[in-house]
Amino acid sequence: MSVTQTFGFLKRFLEFSSTVLMTEPVRLSLRPFVPTLALIALFSTFVNLLMLTGPLFMLQVYDRVLSSRSEATLLVLFLLVIGLYGAMGLLDFVRSRIGARIGARLQEELDEPVFKTMLRAPASVARQAVTGLSDIEAVRRFFGAPVAFALFDLPFTPLFVAAIFIFHPLLGWLALAGGGVLVMLSLINQFVSRKPSALAGQTASVSTRTAEQIRTQPDTVRALGMTDAAITRWRDTRDRSLTAEVALSDRNGGFGSVTKALRLFLQSAMLALGAWLVLQDQLTAGAMIAASILLGRALAPIEQLIGGWSMIARARSGWVSLKTLLAATPLKDPETRLNRPEARLDVKGLTIIPPSGGKPIIQQVTFSVLPG
């Protein structure tokens, strides 16, 4: 399994950006966040490098501390681990706050133009108009969710696998094979979830549109005696939407459970293979434990992406819907340019009658006031 295949599903997820970003409001809203996203990528780099703290600590404890029986070495290593894990937790916390604020700011930037577009949308994009605000909500939730940071952590998976290869080639090949299986599961999940995800989004929008139609015409519904029929119709669309959502959740949950079980099995298999290599005097006990921890860290982003694929799919469909909505409906009508008005006042036949009636105070007054 090559690195290109490893990142294949990530590439498929990002393909839609080339078309979505052509929409002017969306592109202008995202432009200020490019430096911030680069900052998140920088923080993610340090977070993933600090993830090596655990394996290196285990390696030093098993190979140095236990063999030398040095309590001072153990104390120094433990204090260093406290500092490194504290820095990692701080950086992870900061990037999660930044991601949540990117989503909130993006929603703030797009709320008004999308709302105005919803009021002017033609019938051809009626579905996107109804779900416009919920699409923004889906995108906002994605930026603040852990699955979004898994996309930043995924490029470091080959680094962790390469570190396992340094311990022993057999351990590296086991890690590479396990990662390949998880990637294949993610690709299968993406393929089999495409239609259920589209069906769930379609039924949800139909339910939302039906509820909105009934809510905006309550007098007509009551006057025609259609209350029970309207509720039945809405309930039917709601049930279909709920059924589609549950089916999609079950499918993604099944893949997520298989992925989690497989990851845990691979870590145990790594320990078993490492123990065998230790018995053959080809590996140290510290390297055996460190390789197992590195494997879990290497496969964690893939597991998160598979588990959160429904959120990724919803955010993607939201972007595409926003692109269609904003591209199909201009925010402003064509305007006719008028001549610049002159600063001049002309009054003709001015007459002022007091509130009590009677004769006019001023009658038929005509004058002109020129600029200045």
Side-chain angles (χ1 to χ4, degrees), residues 193-216:
S193 299
R194 186 177 303 169
K195 290 184 178 179
S197 177
L199 179 62
Q202 181 181 1
T203 54
S205 64
V206 170
S207 176
T208 302
R209 185 165 67 250
T210 302
E212 186 66 17
Q213 290 174 346
I214 297 173
R215 188 190 65 82
T216 55

Side-chain angles (χ1 to χ4, degrees), residues 14 56 96 247 355:
L14 296 176
L56 292 177
S96 65

Side-chain angles (χ1 to χ4, degrees), residues 14-180:
L14 296 176
E15 282 177 352
F16 74 97
S17 61
S18 61
T19 56
V20 172
L21 296 183
M22 294 301 292
T23 306
E24 187 70 11
V26 176
R27 183 175 61 82
L28 293 179
S29 299
L30 279 179
R31 183 183 298 171
F33 301 116
V34 173
T36 310
L37 292 174
L39 184 63
I40 292 180
L42 179 63
F43 285 171
S44 299
T45 300
F46 287 107
V47 167
N48 283 274
L49 291 178
L50 289 172
M51 286 290 182
L52 297 173
T53 300
L56 292 177
F57 177 69
M58 298 296 294
L59 185 65
Q60 296 300 317
V61 168
Y62 274 86
D63 294 347
R64 293 182 181 273
V65 175
L66 295 182
S67 60
S68 65
R69 305 183 65 86
S70 173
E71 296 180 357
T73 303
L74 178 61
L75 178 61
V76 171
L77 287 175
F78 184 68
L79 293 177
L80 181 61
V81 165
I82 292 176
L84 292 177
Y85 273 133
M88 185 189 69
L90 179 62
L91 290 175
D92 195 26
F93 174 69
V94 169
R95 72 171 182 172
S96 65
R97 288 174 61 90
I98 293 175
R101 280 154 179 77
I102 288 177
R105 183 64 183 277
L106 188 63
Q107 178 176 342
E108 182 181 356
E109 294 288 336
L110 289 176
D111 267 342
E112 183 175 346
V114 169
F115 193 81
K116 289 181 178 178
T117 305
M118 288 170 57
L119 300 177
R120 306 157 59 89
S124 58
V125 291
R127 186 180 70 84
Q128 288 83 356
V130 173
T131 62
L133 296 181
S134 62
D135 291 335
I136 300 178
E137 283 283 344
V139 174
R140 180 190 62 79
R141 288 194 298 268
F142 168 76
F143 274 103
V147 68
F149 304 113
L151 294 173
F152 289 94
D153 296 337
L154 187 63
F156 293 91
T157 294
L159 173 65
F160 296 134
V161 174
I164 296 175
F165 266 103
I166 294 176
F167 293 141
H168 197 280
L170 289 179
L171 298 178
W173 286 115
L174 176 60
L176 195 60

Side-chain angles (χ1 to χ4, degrees), residues 150-319:
L151 294 173
F152 289 94
D153 296 337
L154 187 63
F156 293 91
T157 294
L159 173 65
F160 296 134
V161 174
I164 296 175
F165 266 103
I166 294 176
F167 293 141
H168 197 280
L170 289 179
L171 298 178
W173 286 115
L174 176 60
L176 195 60
V181 173
L182 288 183
V183 170
M184 290 301 299
L185 283 177
S186 67
L187 293 174
I188 295 173
N189 182 31
Q190 179 188 4
F191 177 76
V192 301
S193 299
R194 186 177 303 169
K195 290 184 178 179
S197 177
L199 179 62
Q202 181 181 1
T203 54
S205 64
V206 170
S207 176
T208 302
R209 185 165 67 250
T210 302
E212 186 66 17
Q213 290 174 346
I214 297 173
R215 188 190 65 82
T216 55
Q217 301 176 11
D219 296 335
T220 303
V221 172
R222 288 196 300 267
L224 297 177
M226 298 171 56
T227 302
D228 293 338
I231 293 177
T232 301
R233 179 186 175 189
W234 168 77
R235 192 67 204 178
D236 182 61
T237 59
R238 189 73 167 175
D239 290 342
R240 287 201 299 268
S241 174
L242 183 60
T243 301
E245 289 286 349
V246 171
L248 179 62
S249 177
D250 290 343
R251 192 182 299 270
N252 289 328
F255 276 97
S257 299
V258 171
T259 302
K260 183 177 180 180
L262 180 59
R263 181 179 63 83
L264 294 175
F265 167 75
L266 287 173
Q267 287 188 265
S268 298
M270 183 70 68
L271 280 175
L273 180 58
W276 182 79
L277 291 173
V278 171
L279 296 177
Q280 302 298 318
D281 294 327
Q282 299 184 30
L283 193 70
T284 63
M288 174 187 69
I289 302 297
S292 177
I293 298 175
L294 278 174
L295 177 64
R297 181 57 220 165
L299 301 181
I302 303 176
E303 181 183 355
Q304 287 182 332
L305 289 174
I306 295 176
W309 191 256
S310 59
M311 178 175 289
I312 295 176
R314 178 66 184 92
R316 182 191 177 198
S317 65
W319 274 112

